[in-house]
Amino acid sequence: MELLISTYMTEIIAVSTIAVFMAMLPGADFVMVTRTSIYNGRLSGLYMSLGMCLSVCIHASYSIAGLAVLIANSAWLFATIKYLGAAYLIYIAWQLLTTRDLLNNDHNNQTAVMSPLNAMRRGFTCNILNPKTSIFFLSIFTQVVSVDTPLIMQVSYGVIIMLAHFIWYSGVALLLSHPNIMPRFNRHKQKIDKVAGFILMIIAIKLILMNAV
C-alpha cells in the first residue's frame, strides 16, 4: 500500500485539492446545510451532511464504472437529471419563500424538529440530482486520474472526496449551530428562509440553462 501511495502521490494531491475546493464552492448544498443548521439545529445539519456524503459515494461509484461519460454524453439522460434536480430545488425554494412569520413566532425562536432520516434524505436528494456533481466527477476520473490507476486507488479517491465534503459541511453545521451564534440567527429565521429560497431558485434557473459538456 505504501508503494501505491508513493507511486500515485501526484494524483492523490490533485484529487484532494480539487475535492476541498469543490466542497467549499457555494451552491445548493451549502445553502441547504446552512439553512437546516440554523433552523433545525446541529444534528439535522450533520445528518444532512451525511446524506450528501452518501450521494457522493454513488457519484464516485458510477464514475469509476465509467457511467459518468455516458451521462455527460447522453443528452436525454443529462437533461433528465438536470430537470429533476432543478424541480427539486424549486420545490424547496417555494416552501421557504412561502413560509409564514407565524411559523417562527409560535415556536419562540426554538429550532424546528427534523427527523434524522428526513435530513439525510434531503441532503442525499439535493446532491444526487445535481448534474454539476456528475460533471465534477467526470472531470476528475477522466482528466486527473489515469486509466491505468488501480481500482483500489480510484476507490480511495472517492473516499477522499466524500471525507472532504463531510468535513466541510459538518464544520458549517457545527459553526452555525454554536450556542453563541445560534441566538443571532434565531432572530432572523424568516429573513434567512426568504434569502435561502431566493438563492435556491436562482441556482435552479441556472441549472435549467446549463448545457452538458
Side-chain angles (χ1 to χ4, degrees):
M1 189 64 183
E2 292 181 2
L3 178 60
L4 279 176
I5 293 176
S6 60
T7 303
Y8 294 95
M9 181 56 68
T10 302
E11 285 189 1
I12 294 173
I13 294 175
V15 170
S16 300
T17 303
I18 296 173
V20 169
F21 282 105
M22 179 63 184
M24 296 175 64
L25 189 67
D29 292 348
F30 181 81
V31 176
M32 292 282 286
V33 172
T34 298
R35 190 265 173 188
T36 299
S37 301
I38 294 171
Y39 192 86
N40 302 102
R42 174 172 298 178
L43 284 178
S44 295
L46 291 175
Y47 277 115
M48 179 167 285
S49 301
L50 180 58
M52 291 176 178
C53 287
L54 293 177
S55 70
V56 168
C57 292
I58 303 298
H59 285 298
S61 297
Y62 68 66
S63 295
I64 293 174
L67 296 181
V69 178
L70 174 63
I71 293 174
N73 290 284
S74 174
W76 71 268
L77 185 56
F78 185 88
T80 299
I81 297 175
K82 180 176 68 173
Y83 291 127
L84 284 175
Y88 181 74
L89 292 181
I90 291 173
Y91 167 72
I92 297 297
W94 180 255
Q95 286 187 322
L96 298 179
L97 291 171
T98 55
T99 300
R100 300 294 181 183
D101 291 335
L102 183 62
L103 178 63
N104 291 328
N105 294 335
D106 284 348
H107 289 281
N108 297 319
N109 288 331
Q110 295 181 0
T111 55
V113 176
M114 178 183 289
S115 69
L117 183 60
N118 189 27
M120 289 179 61
R121 178 183 59 80
R122 286 198 172 198
F124 181 87
T125 305
C126 180
N127 191 277
I128 200 68
L129 293 179
N130 188 351
K132 287 186 177 181
T133 307
S134 300
I135 293 176
F136 161 66
F137 275 93
L138 172 64
S139 65
I140 284 184
F141 283 93
T142 57
Q143 303 298 322
V144 179
V145 180
S146 170
V147 293
D148 298 322
T149 300
L151 178 60
I152 187 173
M153 290 306 301
Q154 295 191 43
V155 172
S156 298
Y157 298 157
V159 173
I160 290 173
I161 298 170
M162 181 189 69
L163 289 176
H165 280 72
F166 183 71
I167 291 173
W168 169 250
Y169 287 118
S170 295
V172 171
L174 291 173
L175 175 63
L176 296 180
S177 60
H178 192 278
N180 293 333
I181 298 178
M182 180 64 73
R184 302 179 184 179
F185 288 113
N186 280 336
R187 294 191 293 268
H188 305 285
K189 282 182 178 178
Q190 188 67 20
K191 294 179 182 178
I192 292 172
D193 275 354
K194 303 306 180 186
V195 172
F198 179 76
I199 294 176
L200 288 178
M201 190 69 72
I202 295 298
I203 293 175
I205 293 173
K206 290 179 65 176
L207 196 59
I208 292 173
L209 299 177
M210 172 186 174
N211 294 318
V213 291

